[in-house]
Amino acid sequence: MQHAETTQGRPFLEARNIGKRYGGLHAVRDVNLSIYPGEVIGIVGDNGAGKSTFIKMLAGDHEPTSGELLIEGRPVRFSNPRDAKQAQIETIYQDLALCENLSVMDNIFLGHELTRNPVLRLLQRNKMHIESRVLLDDLGIGIPSTHELVVNLSGGQRQATALARVAKAGAKLIILDEPSAALGVRETRALLDLILRFRSQGKSILVISHEMRDVFEITDRIAIFKRGELIAIKRTKETTPDEIVSLIIRGRQ
Amino acid sequence: MTQSVTQPDRNAGGFNLFGFARSQEGVVVFLLVALMIVVAVFSAASPYFFDVRNGMNIGRAISIIGIASAFTTLLMIAGGLDLSIGAVMNAAGVVAAMVLTQTNLGVGGAIVAAVAVGALVGWVNGMFIAKLGINPLIMTIAMQFVVRGLTLGFSASASKVIVDPTFLAIGQSYFHIGPLAIPAPLLWMLLTMLVLWFVLRFTLFGKYVYAVGGKASACRRAGINVNVITIQLYMLSGIGAALAGVVLAAIQGAGIPYGAGSELSVISAVILGGVSLAGGIGLIEGTLVAVLLVGVLKNGMTLMGISSVFQMVAEGLVLVGAVTLDRLKRRL
Amino acid sequence: MYKAAGLAAALAVSLLGVAPIGAAIAQDAAANPTLTQDPGNPSQARHWVTYDAGAGAYRVDPSASGDTIGWSAAKAAKAADGALICFTAESEEFDWDVVLVNPSMRRAAEAAGVELLLLNNQYPSTTKPIENADICVQRGADLVVSFNVFSEIAPAIMTKYNEAKIPVIAMDVAHPGSVFYGADNCKTGALAAQFALQWAKDKNWPLDQLQVVAGVDPAVGGAPNCRNTGFVDAIKAAVPQLPASNYYDVDMRTGELGPVAGAIAATTDWLTAHPDAKYIIATSINDDRAYGIAQAMKQAGRGDAAVDGIVVGKNAEKVALDAVRAGDTPLVGTVSFFGNKYGDDVIPLALDILAGKPVPSIVSVAHEVISKANIDTHYPQ
Ligand SMILES: Nc1ncnc2c1ncn2[C@@H]1O[C@H](COP(=O)(O)OP(=O)(O)O)[C@@H](O)[C@H]1O
Ligand SMILES: [Mg+2]
């Protein structure tokens, strides 16, 4: 096993004293975190601890109000999700960010549509349907038709759609905000396998989860958030679920 | 991967009547049926109704609302709203008439100037709505006032008579196809709808129109430049209104700075055609049939000698009926 | 409509404690009866009146009774220093106002050296005229020229001016207890009919086959209707043999595309429903509609004024004057009442009232059909 050493070398992404205020509310304050290639970091914490807000800053969805971000050592500013995508960061949001009025295929390709004719930019529907099918089968989650509208899908199928979109994009850092919340047992298994596969491809993964078993199975390190602060980072191998839970609840061991 | 899995799968499970009734295509079919019933009733009621020439009259009468409605369909599918289109129509007609009478830029120059005015108004609307997050209703009402005031000011409230025969032909000529004499405005409307139908159905821009209307935040997170799409759609709305204004001026033979307030008729036709006010849903086909339905109703009632006051009532009731059915069918 | 306004006026006057007509007649000259008549009614007698600033009402002046036609703008009083006339204009949108009436008022006021405060009644608003009345009172106007076309709200407006003891000249639509200046709607209809019949005779049209078309707008009620009914009544009187089935009210459908497009659509439909109609004589309430009717006839290929028919408009608006001059549409005449000269009468009338001189209770404008024959005299290019 090599991931004990993954915190060495140059981090892919480094957050320095990152903070976010919503008016008077300090949702995230002074978070320092480095994410190395090929590691899986779990983020845990109570509801309202600031986990989603933190990852949204990495995803370019919200701009930080303080601190700085570095990608491979270079300072960057993400003023919208496009910037983060350009830096090879892909995100699955807690609410999945799907267009329910569109088909599974449309959502998988949203923002990356295949087109021909540079002027008219005509959609290559057939090609996108075929590629979507391949991606979905690969993920092992059953969606009968890529033509189906997302509004008619189950929670697990929606999750799969969002995952397929990220899998397609081929990012260096993949962020997942509570991805297993809507999943059944079989679907969760497939998700965990997928995350491990991403890691074996050298990608970094940041995953927010409440499921201690999952967190301990797949992560290399665990970051604990409390009231907007990152209060501890533990190596998964050197901690226990009890220790993490007590950190989440009491803020100490 | 086996062959069978990589085939693009078609709608599994056969035809579903309730599903179809709920779909956007279902709305269009329903409207078509309503249209046919109305046509049958008027044909029985008035000997002048079911007649090619009367059909062409209807076509010309609906063309202005039709042209603007086509563009508004795109905007409203994307969740936007533009109440400045009536004011832009007037402005465009007056600008075209002024360019024709006071410069030697000719018909081309007149149309370009009118379209530029529409695009500019749309750009201002779009900038404020997209970049500053101003409510479209408020922003476009404000622009309606601004544009109306400027139009009246610059024209000194005087109607401008147009005599240029080429320009008048835009609104008054006929295209002869076999025995049919199709009024030019009807042709412009059908062309506009055909182009925008193609855009909505086959192009990336069309896909983004639906996507932005479905969930703008998801589009932004998917890396789509939602602001640019929004601004482009408001510009298109302004351009559409300007084109409608040019055709209207040509039909009237004058640029008239006051009177028209077509925005609510346009919006109600678009909603009647099945576009959801919340955005994300709708088809140009629906708008076409809705515009036809309203036009046929007005024409038939006129031929039957029903006062325009009651025609207003009928138009309102049809809209109420349509949105009520829309609510009810969701319970299917 | 007038009747209702008159009743309301009588009510308003009695509420204000001004002597009602019946009681006043018996009194001596110092307390002459106040003007409560409804001067918009053309059949009503005209009087000489003077403004009684103490009572806040016009008084009918028996010592200056008689010929009311004798008033002349040329002999009007000079403006007093610092006098302010408040003019609540019908609109600053429609060309009748912006191009014709409003500039004439400004021009005449400037020539007379009197200050004019122009407020916009924003036709078709029915609240703006009342708000503007408050402003005129607040600004301490010495006299108000009220161009409010809704007779329903005229009593409410007059209540404010009577309380503030400000004399009022009402334009085009009567306000109870005020001096009236303006057009006689019924007369414009009759003049248009006269012109149309003359045209028909000149072209040797069979008078018993005329198709009489009145472009009506159900949304515009009241006094302006007489522009159509006056037309129809005059034709009926002159051509009694014309069957009733040859008269048509065509609904101008003023809708979302404005008055011209509405008139074009409505007329096109009418022409379709009457494919053989010839010898059409049409009129409407104003030139926008008349222009639209003519455009529809022309575009349907039935716009030959020598055979198919003619349209006579009202107002002498620019679109109609251009069409009359060009002579290429069936719109061959328009009844003018010279909105461009309103100010030339109204401002001197106001000065006489302010000077306490007697003035007629009704001053009618000149009416004339403008056609190719006289357009260059009245409206030189
Ligand atoms: N867009 C926002 N505007 C204002 N407050 C917000 C917004 N998003 C989150 N918050 C607040 O910030 C805090 C952190 O929220 P969040 O990051 O969603 O927590 P978590 O994901 O850990 O449950 C909460 O108090 C939440 O109410
Ligand atoms: Mg969260």
Side-chain angles (χ1 to χ4, degrees), chain C residues 260-286:
Chain C
V260 176
I264 292 177
T267 308
T268 303
D269 287 346
W270 184 85
L271 289 167
T272 304
H274 300 85
D276 305 317
K278 263 179 151 186
Y279 315 126
I280 297 164
I281 54 173
T283 195
S284 190
I285 49 176
N286 69 10

Side-chain angles (χ1 to χ4, degrees), chain A residues 22 25 27 46-53:
Chain A
Y22 294 116
L25 178 81
D46 251 341
N47 279 332
K51 308 181 294 295
S52 293
T53 304

Side-chain angles (χ1 to χ4, degrees), chain A residues 22 25 27-28 45-54 56 62 94 177-178 208:
Chain A
Y22 294 116
L25 178 81
V28 170
D46 251 341
N47 279 332
K51 308 181 294 295
S52 293
T53 304
F54 174 64
K56 279 176 187 168
H62 290 338
Q94 199 166 356
D177 193 348
E178 303 199 25
I208 300 177

Side-chain angles (χ1 to χ4, degrees), chain B residues 295-317:
Chain B
V296 164
L297 272 175
K298 284 189 179 174
N299 171 274
M301 289 168 83
T302 303
L303 292 184
M304 287 175 65
I306 298 171
S307 160
S308 66
V309 177
F310 294 108
Q311 296 185 24
M312 282 188 222
V313 175
E315 208 181 337
L317 291 181

Side-chain angles (χ1 to χ4, degrees), chain B residues 257-323:
Chain B
Y258 51 79
S262 55
E263 53 278 342
L264 294 182
S265 295
V266 168
I267 290 166
S268 71
V270 171
I271 292 172
L272 179 61
V275 173
S276 150
L277 254 184
I281 293 170
L283 295 169
I284 288 275
E285 296 92 307
T287 300
L288 171 61
V289 182
V291 168
L292 271 171
L293 183 61
V294 174
V296 164
L297 272 175
K298 284 189 179 174
N299 171 274
M301 289 168 83
T302 303
L303 292 184
M304 287 175 65
I306 298 171
S307 160
S308 66
V309 177
F310 294 108
Q311 296 185 24
M312 282 188 222
V313 175
E315 208 181 337
L317 291 181
V318 167
L319 184 59
V320 170
V323 292

Side-chain angles (χ1 to χ4, degrees), chain C residues 309-332:
Chain C
I310 57 163
V311 189
V312 186
K314 311 281 159 65
N315 286 6
E317 290 167 34
K318 192 169 178 302
V319 276
L321 292 176
D322 285 356
V324 167
R325 209 186 300 275
D328 60 347
T329 72
L331 180 50
V332 292

